[in-house]
């Protein structure tokens, strides 16, 4: 099976986000970078499918030289090679991003190397656009399932499983297809030391994409007013248990 | 014309859809425009009346049974057919998985703009949009201009749902070709849930455990307290990543979102991804050894200390007082 998995380099946010002075981006001076949790599962699934059915997996990102870190992370888990759509690190909108990815897949097709499966995270943790994978499927005229939390492949057909409220929905599609996946699909492995060493010598194919243009323009980012301002320190250690029980009574959680 | 995609189930319009309809009603009022809805499936008189109370004049309905329970490509085609019939320039939907997917698919077909998780939209020479990023930790203000059609999904919690006026909703049946393109990625089977346990998202009390719980066995004390209080146990992402508990127990941006009366967060630092899943809790009680952990300044009540010393004492005293769920 030939699998293409698409990822995005994003800041590794922890306790609190701060903005740059021009308010156009998150201040990343003190942050590391990563790929989103959904995408970690997409990479893991790509590697598992290749382990099971043979073939190879390729990881793709739109970014710049720094994004090699995320490509190598994916390759350290077992992905064979990478494609870097180098746009100099500009923040492209979903229409431009999807257009650039679809162009690469069309090129793969024309070389007889068409992916059977293209995987995305359900949404990026930072921009939360919920649409790049959907637009790629549309551009390539491929079947698509979003929010996938389970994958089974049998004889060129794929059954995708997702949650709908408390129910489970199954969708059967023929390959090739596009999936956007959610965390919980699998439990991603950690990169091994040999895996990390091997990743450094795996090929990264650089492509210069053209920006199609998005109709939405960022004006500014702002931080919402924190509604939770913190409250009462009840105490320290087991001595605070009496106070905890008072709170439980006040909330009506236990009877007075 | 402003068009809203609405999801209807059990004779009711979904709350998330009504949020979009109420924003649509606001936009229609500001621009002396009219408001229409599009839906797939069947519509009851009560659902029709509900839409009428927001001033909806027309409901475009695609009722071909092959589009149910969910054929996203077919639903997107229904939205496009309604855009054609109504001449709508704006399409709104709830921020559910389904509406988000359908609007993204429909906008892709038109090469039109789609923005997810909007909290406000104003019209004046294009659209001034405010939307959530980083699961609500950052707000983006953006403008969308020079587009024939723009689509937006609207976040549930941020908008009121005012009843403005009563109108008689006209029903218009949508007819369009339904072939392989509309059905090739439709839902083929629905498995209904078994068992009658209360889900994490519906629990009145949730006890959360993070890395500070220390081990899978460490959750015994949380499970025991949950038994006494009639609570569910949830976890942070670290815990599922370590394989201590399954992903279905995870609270956060990429897990379950909870809105209980009380959330007792034990050994959880309070990263933004976790807070995104629990910020709707009415009351948060945090127990943590690190008094500087972010959650300690966000919680309504905080206790500094080892959860493995505090929870056993709490359980002991609740048992002594004869507390049972």
């Amino acid at each position: 099976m030939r699998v293409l998995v698409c990822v995005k380099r994003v800041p590794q946010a922890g306790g609190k986000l701060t903005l740059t002075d021009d308010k156009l981006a998150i201040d990343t001076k003190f942050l590391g970078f990563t790929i989103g949790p959904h995408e970690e599962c997409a990479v893991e699934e790509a590697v598992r499918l290749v382990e099971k059915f043979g073939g190879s997996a390729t990881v793709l990102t739109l970014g710049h030289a720094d994004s090699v870190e995320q490509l190598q992370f994916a390759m350290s888990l077992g992905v064979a090679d990478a494609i870097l759509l180098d746009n100099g690190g500009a923040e492209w909108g979903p229409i431009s991003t999807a257009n650039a990815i679809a162009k690469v897949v069309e090129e793969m097709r024309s070389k007889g190397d068409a992916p059977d499966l293209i995987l995305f995270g359900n949404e990026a943790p930072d921009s939360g656009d919920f649409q790049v994978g959907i637009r790629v499927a549309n551009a390539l005229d491929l079947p698509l399932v979003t929010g996938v939390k389970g994958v089974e492949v049998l004889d060129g057909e794929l059954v995708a499983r997702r949650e709908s409220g408390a129910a489970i929905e199954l969708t059967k599609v023929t390959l090739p297809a596009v999936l956007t996946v959610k965390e919980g699909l699998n439990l991603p492995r950690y990169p091994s030391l040999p895996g990390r060493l091997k990743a450094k010598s795996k090929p990264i194919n650089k492509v210069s994409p053209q920006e199609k243009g998005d109709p939405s323009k960022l004006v500014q980012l702002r931080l919402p007013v924190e509604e939770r301002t913190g409250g009462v320190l009840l105490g320290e250690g087991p001595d605070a248990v009496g106070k905890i029980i008072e709170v439980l009574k006040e909330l009506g959680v236990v009877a007075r | 014309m402003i068009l809203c995609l609405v999801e209807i189930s059990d004779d009711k319009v979904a709350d998330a859809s009504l949020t979009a309809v109420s924003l649509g009603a606001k936009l229609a009022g500001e621009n002396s425009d009219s408001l229409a809805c599009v839906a797939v499936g069947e519509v009851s008189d009560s659902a029709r009346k509900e839409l009428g109370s927001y001033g909806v004049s027309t409901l475009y309905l695609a009722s071909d049974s092959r589009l149910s329970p969910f054929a996203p490509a077919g639903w997107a085609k229904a939205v496009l057919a309604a855009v054609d019939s109504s001449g709508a320039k704006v399409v709104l939907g709830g921020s559910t998985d389904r509406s988000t997917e359908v609007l993204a698919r429909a906008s892709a077909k038109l090469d039109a703009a789609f923005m997810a998780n909007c909290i406000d939209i104003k019209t004046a020479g294009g659209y001034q949009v405010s939307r959530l990023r980083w699961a609500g930790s950052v707000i983006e203000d953006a403008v969308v201009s020079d587009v024939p059609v723009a689509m937006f999904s609207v976040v549930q919690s941020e908008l009121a749902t005012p009843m403005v006026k009563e109108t008689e909703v006209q029903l218009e049946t949508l007819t369009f070709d339904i072939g392989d393109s509309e059905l090739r990625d439709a839902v083929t089977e629905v498995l209904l849930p078994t068992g009658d346990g209360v889900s994490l998202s519906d629990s009145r009390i949730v006890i959360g455990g993070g890395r500070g719980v220390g081990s899978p066995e460490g959750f015994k004390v949380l499970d025991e307290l949950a038994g006494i209080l009639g609570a569910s146990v949830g976890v942070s992402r670290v815990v599922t990543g370590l394989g201590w508990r399954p992903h279905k127990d995870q609270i956060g941006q990429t897990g379950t979102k909870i809105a209980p009366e009380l959330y007792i967060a034990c050994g959880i630092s309070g990263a933004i991804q976790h807070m995104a899943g629990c910020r709707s809790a009415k009351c948060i009680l945090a127990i943590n050894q690190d008094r500087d952990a972010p959650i300690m300044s966000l919680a309504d009540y905080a206790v500094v200390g080892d959860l493995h010393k505090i929870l056993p004492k709490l359980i002991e005293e609740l048992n002594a007082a004869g507390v049972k769920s």
Side-chain angles (χ1 to χ4, degrees), chain B residues 74-146:
Chain B
W75 286 38
K77 197 162 186 183
V79 170
L80 294 176
V83 167
D84 268 351
S85 299
S86 64
K89 303 274 187 283
V90 186
V91 187
L92 306 175
S95 62
T96 62
D97 287 348
R98 280 188 176 184
S99 290
T100 299
E101 174 176 354
V102 169
L103 293 186
R105 280 180 183 253
S107 65
K109 286 265 179 247
L110 295 179
D111 231 349
F114 167 64
M115 299 184 88
N117 286 330
C118 299
I119 55 175
D120 198 19
I121 299 166
K122 293 187 180 72
T123 52
Y127 306 97
Q128 280 82 48
V129 183
S130 298
R131 59 180 291 267
L132 301 181
R133 285 191 179 204
W134 288 98
S137 298
V138 176
I139 296 168
E140 169 189 353
D141 294 323
V143 287
V144 181
S145 46
D146 300 328

Side-chain angles (χ1 to χ4, degrees), chain A residues 186-206:
Chain A
N186 52 44
L187 190 56
R189 71 195 70 184
Y190 290 100
S192 64
L193 183 59
R196 286 209 300 256
L197 293 173
K198 263 192 245 166
K200 291 204 160 74
S201 57
K202 288 181 177 175
I204 298 175
N205 177 15
K206 277 195 193 150

Side-chain angles (χ1 to χ4, degrees), chain A residues 96-118:
Chain A
S96 296
T97 305
N99 180 62
I101 296 171
K103 285 243 152 49
V104 167
V105 177
E106 276 163 8
E107 192 129 314
M108 291 171 76
R109 278 176 172 174
S110 70
K111 287 179 186 156
D113 184 31
D116 301 299
L117 195 59
I118 308 176

Side-chain angles (χ1 to χ4, degrees), chain B residues 7-22:
Chain B
E7 296 176 48
I8 299 174
S9 62
D10 302 331
D11 291 351
K12 261 196 62 64
V13 183
D15 287 344
S17 299
L18 288 178
T19 306
V21 173
S22 73

Side-chain angles (χ1 to χ4, degrees), chain A residues 73-155:
Chain A
F73 169 78
M75 291 191 286
S76 73
L77 299 180
V79 170
D81 58 6
I83 299 169
L84 172 60
L85 295 171
D86 192 343
N87 73 346
E91 190 66 31
W92 282 10
I95 291 178
S96 296
T97 305
N99 180 62
I101 296 171
K103 285 243 152 49
V104 167
V105 177
E106 276 163 8
E107 192 129 314
M108 291 171 76
R109 278 176 172 174
S110 70
K111 287 179 186 156
D113 184 31
D116 301 299
L117 195 59
I118 308 176
L119 300 176
F120 291 86
N122 193 62
E123 84 277 3
D126 58 344
S127 53
D129 287 320
F130 288 88
Q131 58 189 281
V132 171
I134 295 172
R135 287 186 188 274
V136 169
N138 179 69
L140 298 170
D141 193 19
L142 292 176
L144 157 77
V145 191
T146 66
V148 173
K149 282 189 148 183
V151 172
E152 267 180 69
V153 181
L154 199 65
D155 299 332

Side-chain angles (χ1 to χ4, degrees), chain A residues 11 13-15 17 26 37-38 40 95 125-131 134-135 138 141-144 146 149 161-162 164 166-173 182-184 187 190 212 215-224 226 228-238 240-241 244-245 247-248 250-251 253-254, chain B residues 70 97-98 100-101 104-105 107-109 111-117 130-131 133-134 136-145 147 184-191 193 205 229 237 240-241 247 250 253-254 262 271-273 279 281 283-285 291 294 297-304 309-310 313-314 317 323:
Chain A
L17 291 170
I26 301 294
H38 297 323
E40 281 183 23
I95 291 178
D126 58 344
S127 53
D129 287 320
F130 288 88
Q131 58 189 281
I134 295 172
R135 287 186 188 274
N138 179 69
D141 193 19
L142 292 176
L144 157 77
T146 66
K149 282 189 148 183
R161 188 184 170 91
R162 72 170 146 199
S164 173
I168 302 288
E169 288 177 350
L170 302 180
T171 302
K172 192 191 276 182
V173 292
K182 278 189 178 175
E183 189 182 47
L187 190 56
Y190 290 100
K212 184 173 174 177
S216 67
K217 294 278 171 284
L218 174 64
V219 175
Q220 63 161 4
L221 300 178
R222 55 195 161 93
L223 300 175
E226 182 53 68
R228 297 193 170 277
T229 52
V232 184
L233 181 66
L234 292 180
E236 297 195 18
V241 163
I244 294 175
I245 291 175
V247 168
L248 296 182
E250 199 176 303
L251 294 171
V253 169
V254 303
Chain B
F70 187 44
D97 287 348
R98 280 188 176 184
T100 299
E101 174 176 354
R105 280 180 183 253
S107 65
K109 286 265 179 247
D111 231 349
F114 167 64
M115 299 184 88
N117 286 330
S130 298
R131 59 180 291 267
R133 285 191 179 204
W134 288 98
S137 298
V138 176
I139 296 168
E140 169 189 353
D141 294 323
V143 287
V144 181
S145 46
V147 287
R184 65 186 177 183
D185 44 22
V187 169
T188 34
E189 198 180 341
V190 178
L191 310 173
I205 306 168
L229 296 178
R237 180 161 179 260
T240 48
H247 183 269
Q250 185 176 316
Q253 181 175 359
T254 51
L262 172 65
I272 59 164
Q273 293 86 348
R279 68 159 62 98
C283 179
I284 298 179
L285 165 64
R291 66 174 70 238
S297 59
L298 294 169
D300 302 275
Y301 300 100
V303 178
V304 179
K309 296 208 172 84
I310 295 165
K313 174 113 188 282
L314 178 60
E317 295 207 3
V323 173

